[in-house]
Amino acid sequence: MSLPGFWKHVGTVLGGALGAQAMPLLAAPLITRMCTPSEMGAFSVWLGVVAVSAIAATLRLETAMILDHEKEQQRVCFSVVLYTASITAVLVSLAAMGAHAFGLPALREQSWLALAVIGLGTWLTAYTQTTLAYATSHKAFGKAARAKVWGAATIALSQLVLLYFGAGEFGLLAGQLIGLTAGLFAANLLLRPPSPRLTLRLDHSATAYLLRHQKFWRFSLPSNLLNALVSQMPLFLIGMRHGALAAGLYALTNRVLAAPVSLLAASVLEVFKRESVQEFETVGNCRRAYRYTFKALSLLGLGPAVVLLLFSPQLFAFAFGANWRPAGELAQILAPLCFLNFIASPLSYVFFVTGRQKVDLLWQVALFLMTLCAFLAPGTLRQNVLWYTIGYSMLYLVYLRMSYECSGNRLAPA
């Protein structure tokens, strides 16, 4: 693929990402003035559980669909995900309510209703991710972008309306579910993916599909689960050690810092997925795509990282209110990590393309242990976040080196 073609696809995905993120980002200053940091913290914990559970629900088979373009095989993939996501949804809600009953600190402050619908949020997120992966496999970037915009806009508007009428934490939660439903409906309407088979047990074709793509659920699944746990663990541990107010501040920091990755890096990732696979199929490696993507991400991420490093406290206080200035101070500490995350996240897909998911899994284990140590170490909130930034940044440098080496290898069976 030519470089202009690369940027054309990136622009298409980025346009959708900008639209998908514009409403939440514009709504954030209003939302932070209509809810307390404690309410934001509680909602973020709920959303974190949904994000982790959704990964388990798909078994990461939606990633395999980008490698497997045959229509009937993609139908089987949808059938397997429907089956596993439904079972996971039920189990997650039951487990969450059980954990609440036994007084688990991370879920103790959640309402019974919030815990009961965690499964619904998990199912909607998992099936939406699979549908968007189907779009990527067919280069339907424009339609996927429109579906993302519709879902994100519905989330933002629903939350604002419910908060305006005094719904509080429940308004944030209900708005998220309404938006997820709208986004999935729009994705199915625009993309017309294969209809899954509704069965009470997996048939022979589904079992064969699981065996053929076993590296995804054997290595990619635990690796991505660890990665998701690592991303949510600071919020859980901060809430347990420093209180709900600190958890709410960190939740806003994490939400703002995730925006560059969601907007730009994720857009580049959608294109890099397809181009890296095509390059491997034609020349046996994806070094050219990797190098070009690395340079593009470095240039795109440098500006936002410098702004965060220099002006985060002032920007947070101006945008979200004086009560949220400490969140900007945390963002200032995390700025270097944000830059490395912006570069490394899209390029990590090279481990999937080359069948080296096991290497990625080992790195995720090291990251999990580092995060645990950083936030369990004695110290203030700022000290814990600083140790986390240093440790994570060093691991990202190792990660980038491994992914570059991996981009030059022959394609291994996935």
Side-chain angles (χ1 to χ4, degrees):
M1 181 181 184
S2 65
L3 298 186
F6 177 89
W7 282 109
K8 178 182 178 181
H9 286 318
V10 170
T12 301
V13 181
L14 177 58
L18 284 170
Q21 294 294 327
M23 285 299 296
L25 290 176
L26 291 173
L30 296 175
I31 289 175
T32 54
R33 287 170 170 83
M34 298 168 70
C35 69
T36 66
S38 296
E39 290 173 334
M40 177 70 76
F43 168 69
S44 298
V45 170
W46 181 91
L47 195 60
V49 175
V50 168
V52 174
S53 303
I55 292 174
T58 65
L59 300 183
R60 297 307 287 157
L61 291 176
E62 84 281 7
T63 308
M65 186 155 41
I66 298 173
L67 304 175
D68 204 344
H69 308 145
E70 202 274 323
K71 181 177 180 180
E72 190 56 34
Q73 289 302 304
Q74 290 188 331
R75 184 189 304 277
V76 174
C77 181
F78 273 104
S79 301
V80 174
V81 170
L82 176 65
Y83 182 84
T84 58
S86 299
I87 293 177
T88 303
V90 174
L91 293 177
V92 166
S93 286
L94 292 176
M97 290 187 286
H100 177 80
F102 285 101
L104 184 69
L107 299 177
R108 187 167 48 204
E109 297 182 4
Q110 299 283 336
S111 68
W112 286 105
L113 177 60
L115 297 174
V117 296
I118 279 183
L120 177 59
T122 296
W123 191 93
L124 289 169
T125 302
Y127 207 80
T128 299
Q129 290 173 351
T130 306
T131 305
L132 294 177
Y134 170 80
T136 299
S137 72
H138 293 280
K139 291 189 176 182
F141 300 117
K143 292 181 179 180
R146 291 196 290 274
K148 291 177 183 177
V149 169
W150 183 256
T154 306
I155 289 174
L157 290 174
S158 300
Q159 289 179 336
L160 282 173
V161 170
L162 291 168
L163 285 172
Y164 178 79
F165 287 103
E169 177 191 339
F170 175 77
L172 294 172
L173 186 153
Q176 184 73 23
L177 292 175
I178 293 170
L180 286 173
T181 303
L184 179 58
F185 177 79
N188 277 278
L189 189 65
L190 291 168
L191 297 166
R192 302 292 183 182
S195 299
R197 299 187 183 93
L198 301 176
T199 59
L200 295 178
R201 55 182 298 180
L202 295 176
D203 58 18
H204 175 72
S205 61
T207 304
Y209 190 87
L210 283 169
L211 289 175
R212 185 152 57 92
H213 294 293
Q214 59 180 294
K215 281 191 176 181
F216 287 94
W217 51 265
R218 287 181 60 195
F219 300 121
S220 297
L221 175 59
S223 175
N224 282 264
L225 277 175
L226 279 175
N227 183 261
L229 284 171
V230 166
S231 67
Q232 302 300 328
M233 191 188 304
L235 180 64
F236 298 150
L237 295 177
I238 287 171
M240 293 170 59
R241 291 195 58 200
H242 303 286
L245 175 61
L249 294 172
Y250 181 84
L252 179 64
T253 302
N254 193 50
R255 183 174 183 178
V256 172
L257 294 187
V261 178
S262 299
L263 288 170
L264 295 172
S267 302
V268 174
L269 169 61
E270 292 305 309
V271 180
F272 179 66
K273 283 180 179 179
R274 182 72 179 181
E275 302 313 316
S276 60
V277 171
Q278 287 187 340
E279 192 171 333
F280 257 103
E281 290 174 347
T282 55
V283 301
N285 66 72
C286 63
R287 274 283 168 85
R288 181 175 178 274
Y290 186 99
R291 287 171 178 166
Y292 189 79
T293 304
F294 177 85
K295 293 176 183 178
L297 289 168
S298 298
L299 291 173
L300 290 171
L302 185 60
V306 172
V307 171
L308 286 171
L309 186 63
L310 297 178
F311 307 111
S312 287
Q314 299 93 320
L315 290 174
F316 272 66
F318 173 77
F320 307 112
N323 291 337
W324 297 91
R325 184 185 177 90
E329 295 172 357
L330 296 180
Q332 201 168 32
I333 298 173
L334 290 163
L337 174 59
C338 180
F339 176 64
L340 289 173
N341 179 34
F342 180 81
I343 298 173
S345 292
L347 295 175
S348 66
Y349 188 74
V350 74
F351 291 112
F352 302 145
V353 177
T354 58
R356 300 301 178 85
Q357 291 95 328
K358 188 175 182 179
V359 176
D360 184 57
L361 174 58
L362 293 174
W363 185 86
Q364 296 293 348
V365 171
L367 178 59
F368 178 85
L369 294 174
M370 183 282 299
T371 303
L372 200 61
C373 293
F375 282 98
L376 290 180
T380 64
L381 173 62
R382 288 174 60 89
Q383 289 172 331
N384 288 149
V385 172
L386 178 60
W387 284 117
Y388 173 69
T389 300
I390 293 172
Y392 206 160
S393 297
M394 293 177 65
L395 284 172
Y396 258 143
L397 293 175
V398 174
Y399 196 62
L400 284 169
R401 178 63 183 179
M402 291 193 303
S403 63
Y404 178 72
E405 292 297 328
C406 207
S407 70
N409 291 336
R410 289 283 176 179
L411 179 63

